[in-house]
Amino acid sequence: MSVLSASTQKQVEEQLVKDGLLDDSQLSSLKAKAEKSSTPLFSLLVSDGIVDNENLTKATAVVTKVPYVNLTTARIDPETLELLPHEVAEQYMAVPLGEMQHRLVVAMLDADNVQAVDFLSNKIGRPLKVYAASEQGIRSALMQYKAKLDENVAGALAKDAALPSGGENQATDKDKNIKTIVQDSPISKALSTILEYSAKNRASDIHIEPLEKELKIRVRIDGVLREIMKLPKSTEAPLVSRIKILSNLKIDEHRIPQDGQFTIKADNKEIDLRIAISPVVWGEQVVIRLLDKSGTSLKLEDMGYTGRALRTIRKGISNPNGMILTSGPTGSGKSTSLYALIQEIKNDTINIVTLEDPVEYKMSGINQIQINADVGLTFATGLRSVLRQDPDVVMVGEIRDAETAALAVQAALTGHLVFSTLHTNSAAGILPRLLDMGVEPFLIASTVRTVIGQRLVRRLATPEAYQSDKAEAGLINEHLGMLLPEKDSGVADVAEDLGYETLPLRGQSAYTLFKGKDTPDAPGGYRGRVGLYEVFEVTESIQDLIMKRASSAEIQKAAQAEGMITMQQDGFFKALAGKTTIAEITRVAADDAA
């Protein structure tokens, strides 16, 4: 529902009284309550259970002279749904109801918004007949698109009892092998539908999981897994076989894990897929990683680096040699950070060579090598070869073993700038991890320049401000403590140092925080992700700790004493800035320093 003018709101109030849904005394007390709490009157009506959304929408439609329809229990014909593409329906909170006098009949949440209606009409290229519907009704109708997706996929798979010998073509497009899934195979249609859905919804992974009596399909969007459908058990074998064929894997091998990859075009974008198939109790599980390069910014600022962390990184990459290391769990954006660092220093005067498994982003002006263990090209053997190619900068996708660690350190010692990643819980954990791999303390102290720890949290789509409760304020005071400014006169300096426009004063009993509005385009109020980072420079004091083989907790404490902002602290600053929520910080960035 769009924002109503004061006169229209008064007419809606009168209509609710006229319909017997509200009396004058209730209206007066609610207006006083709304004014006191700064809550919109109609929001109070719904939240207090006095008037439901349907009756409020109906009364508004009567006043604005827009026809009204109740969609909460309506079933829309699947052919009718095809009149308006799903992505357009979600974006504009509008669903098609049929055709009338050469017009498309559409129910909209914002039916009285003339500009929105005109824009939608131009978007789909047809004149509209518009009805008003409640948010609940629109969402109920939008769910029928998902039911239609389930139906189409299940129907297609069920028809494909036997695996055809053909079904996919391999074409060369700009010297790249792109798999085109042909549409005359039911299995191909089903797989194409799942991939298209995942690409349109910005999924990073697809999980195809066999259960005892069914097949479950889940997708990971903004770091959170969501179930999108369940299919009959009989569909498992042909679907997994089709994926194996496209990935050039053995379709008759069911006992050992297999890894593969292929590239497709989905949602008008070229997407690389990494396939991991593993035998589980009830069959074979397939996990598909979608690597869509089109929507990823490789600017450090866009990724969430600010203030001290950003300055420390830029100081580190300005060195002609040494190691820059980043850490975090799988899927925390480590590789993207390394690409962003390369983007910062890339120019024609230096030779940059990378060793990756796989090559996730193809960058011009960079010599990228794909690891292939089957032919003996590992990180260690590849690094030996790279060092004979006169590199200035070397990126090693991951330090997995002692041999690779030793070679990376030797490369840094012999005048190269080395970027790499390790799997540890925090930035401080990187240095003891190298010790565990057998690297001598004096080598670590003399080569490692900058260390990064990171996580990804969901980003708020449209932040809405609210006042924190005591528990949230307590968390902020506990973690940010003395980092927030003490007096108004110091706000600007502290905010500039930390990379924010403004900051609140410390020690408050309540802070302004932000939440998101749950919409089909931003489930839970989130869309996209932003990084939480902790970055520190290996100073003389930290070098001394490394020489003493100090624990990660001791190194973390020393780094904080020298000004490092921890991942949790970075998260709370981002929550105060409206980029994410306290709930996301506590979900993702637990205190891993110890």
Side-chain angles (χ1 to χ4, degrees):
M1 187 184 298
S2 57
V3 178
L4 302 177
S5 66
S7 60
T8 304
Q9 180 169 320
K10 183 172 176 55
Q11 288 178 287
V12 174
E13 294 166 9
E14 292 170 352
Q15 185 65 41
L16 291 171
V17 172
K18 182 179 177 182
D19 291 344
L21 299 169
L22 197 62
D23 59 42
D24 290 329
S25 61
Q26 279 180 310
L27 185 58
S28 298
S29 66
L30 280 166
K31 281 185 174 180
K33 184 178 178 181
E35 187 174 346
K36 185 177 180 181
S37 63
S38 299
T39 305
L41 173 64
F42 289 165
S43 297
L44 270 182
L45 284 173
V46 175
S47 63
D48 288 2
I50 297 169
V51 177
D52 63 27
N53 264 316
E54 286 304 321
N55 283 319
L56 181 58
T57 303
K58 185 177 180 180
T60 306
V62 169
V63 168
T64 55
K65 295 181 171 54
V66 176
Y68 160 80
V69 61
N70 186 337
L71 295 180
T72 51
T73 57
R75 294 293 302 166
I76 302 173
D77 187 274
E79 292 184 5
T80 300
L81 289 175
E82 291 178 1
L83 297 172
L84 191 65
H86 183 204
E87 60 274 17
V88 177
E90 280 193 331
Q91 184 177 354
Y92 294 95
M93 289 295 281
V95 290
L97 303 178
E99 294 183 279
M100 179 189 297
Q101 298 173 343
H102 306 294
R103 291 185 173 198
L104 179 62
V105 181
V106 173
M108 289 183 68
L109 183 62
D110 232 0
D112 57 327
N113 186 331
V114 177
Q115 286 182 323
V117 173
D118 287 345
F119 195 79
L120 181 58
S121 177
N122 292 331
K123 177 93 174 174
I124 61 176
R126 296 189 63 178
L128 305 181
K129 169 69 175 173
V130 181
Y131 282 72
S134 69
E135 183 173 355
Q136 183 183 355
I138 295 287
R139 290 189 186 282
S140 174
L142 287 172
M143 287 298 292
Q144 293 177 49
Y145 277 100
K146 180 180 178 297
K148 180 170 171 286
L149 170 71
D150 293 352
E151 214 172 276
N152 287 351
V153 172
L157 287 170
K159 291 176 186 175
D160 204 19
L163 182 68
S165 58
E168 72 282 347
N169 296 330
Q170 186 169 331
T172 300
D173 181 13
K174 297 179 182 177
D175 297 327
K176 296 176 182 176
N177 291 325
I178 311 296
K179 299 285 185 179
T180 303
I181 306 176
V182 297
Q183 293 302 305
D184 56 355
S185 161
I187 277 290
S188 293
K189 283 183 182 179
L191 181 57
S192 180
T193 302
I194 293 170
L195 294 174
E196 282 276 350
Y197 175 88
S198 302
K200 286 177 181 176
N201 287 277
R202 303 170 293 104
S204 60
D205 301 88
I206 303 168
H207 290 236
I208 300 172
E209 302 169 330
L211 305 178
E212 183 178 8
K213 297 180 179 178
E214 59 193 1
L215 190 67
K216 182 163 70 173
I217 312 292
R218 296 193 291 172
V219 297
R220 189 181 294 279
I221 300 173
D222 294 336
V224 178
L225 275 172
R226 301 169 192 164
E227 183 180 312
I228 60 168
M229 68 181 73
K230 284 182 178 175
L231 303 174
K233 184 69 173 176
S234 60
T235 65
E236 179 192 333
L239 181 60
V240 173
S241 293
R242 176 64 73 220
I243 293 169
K244 286 181 177 179
I245 286 175
L246 291 168
S247 310
N248 296 318
L249 301 177
K250 297 176 181 178
I251 64 172
D252 58 344
E253 179 57 77
H254 308 289
R255 300 165 301 169
I256 61 174
Q258 296 189 76
D259 295 332
Q261 60 186 52
F262 62 96
T263 302
I264 62 163
K265 281 192 175 176
D267 193 28
N268 296 318
K269 293 179 288 190
E270 194 175 294
I271 298 176
D272 292 337
L273 306 179
R274 288 164 55 186
I275 314 298
I277 301 178
S278 299
V280 293
V281 173
W282 300 114
E284 290 182 280
Q285 179 188 23
V286 181
V287 177
I288 303 173
R289 168 68 57 89
L290 289 82
L291 300 172
D292 173 17
K293 284 83 70 176
S294 61
T296 303
S297 169
L298 293 179
K299 286 186 65 177
L300 291 171
E301 292 88 346
D302 293 343
M303 292 164 58
Y305 287 100
T306 58
R308 296 178 192 173
L310 188 58
R311 291 194 298 274
T312 303
I313 285 177
R314 287 189 166 141
K315 181 180 177 183
I317 62 177
S318 66
N319 287 300
N321 54 58
M323 296 179 72
I324 314 292
L325 300 175
T326 180
S327 70
T330 301
S332 60
K334 300 187 298 297
S335 296
T336 307
S337 284
L338 294 188
Y339 283 116
L341 298 182
I342 287 176
Q343 189 74 29
E344 284 260 325
I345 63 172
K346 185 181 74 168
N347 64 63
D348 289 338
T349 66
I350 59 175
N351 178 23
I352 302 175
V353 185
T354 73
L355 287 162
E356 303 173 59
D357 184 20
V359 174
E360 295 186 10
Y361 299 91
K362 297 176 178 68
M363 300 175 70
S364 62
I366 307 297
N367 301 299
Q368 296 173 274
I369 300 172
Q370 168 74 54
I371 293 300
N372 186 350
D374 291 340
V375 297
L377 179 54
T378 63
F379 281 117
T381 57
L383 189 50
R384 283 197 187 91
S385 172
V386 164
L387 294 177
R388 294 192 291 269
Q389 296 175 17
D390 186 31
D392 297 291
V393 179
V394 178
M395 181 185 114
V396 181
E398 184 182 343
I399 295 177
R400 296 176 178 172
D401 52 54
E403 186 181 9
T404 307
L407 287 167
V409 167
Q410 288 300 320
L413 276 174
T414 52
H416 305 91
L417 186 60
V418 179
F419 297 144
S420 193
T421 70
L422 284 92
H423 285 282
T424 62
N425 286 332
S426 64
I430 284 181
L431 305 176
R433 178 79 179 107
L434 289 174
L435 287 171
D436 291 342
M437 287 183 170
V439 181
E440 292 295 333
F442 74 91
L443 292 176
I444 299 172
S446 59
T447 56
V448 179
R449 298 279 184 263
T450 308
V451 178
I452 305 166
Q454 63 184 82
R455 297 286 191 280
L456 292 176
V457 292
R458 290 180 290 175
R459 187 194 295 264
L460 285 173
T462 50
E464 296 180 352
Y466 74 96
Q467 289 301 111
S468 68
D469 57 29
K470 287 184 179 178
E472 291 170 326
L475 282 172
I476 292 171
N477 288 326
E478 176 189 349
H479 288 93
L480 298 189
M482 305 299 287
L483 292 172
L484 290 174
E486 186 177 10
K487 298 177 181 178
D488 287 334
S489 57
V491 169
D493 291 339
V494 176
E496 183 181 3
D497 178 48
L498 295 171
Y500 294 96
E501 290 183 9
T502 186
L503 289 171
L505 297 179
R506 72 175 68 150
Q508 298 184 31
S509 58
Y511 292 90
T512 299
L513 294 174
F514 299 84
K515 59 184 177 181
K517 184 178 180 182
D518 188 24
T519 67
D521 196 42
Y526 302 102
R527 183 174 176 83
R529 289 191 286 177
V530 65
L532 307 184
Y533 304 99
E534 56 187 27
V535 184
F536 68 86
E537 180 184 0
V538 179
T539 59
E540 286 186 13
S541 62
I542 292 176
Q543 286 175 344
D544 290 340
L545 288 173
I546 296 169
M547 296 298 291
K548 295 174 184 175
R549 296 181 177 267
S551 68
S552 60
E554 292 173 299
I555 295 171
Q556 174 101 356
K557 187 176 179 181
Q560 284 183 255
E562 293 181 353
M564 182 188 80
I565 304 297
T566 68
M567 279 185 281
Q568 272 195 321
Q569 290 170 337
D570 189 32
F572 283 110
F573 279 123
K574 286 182 167 72
L576 289 170
K579 296 180 186 296
T580 188
T581 63
I582 296 288
E584 273 294 283
I585 308 307
T586 54
R587 179 181 74 87
V588 172
D591 190 356
D592 295 316

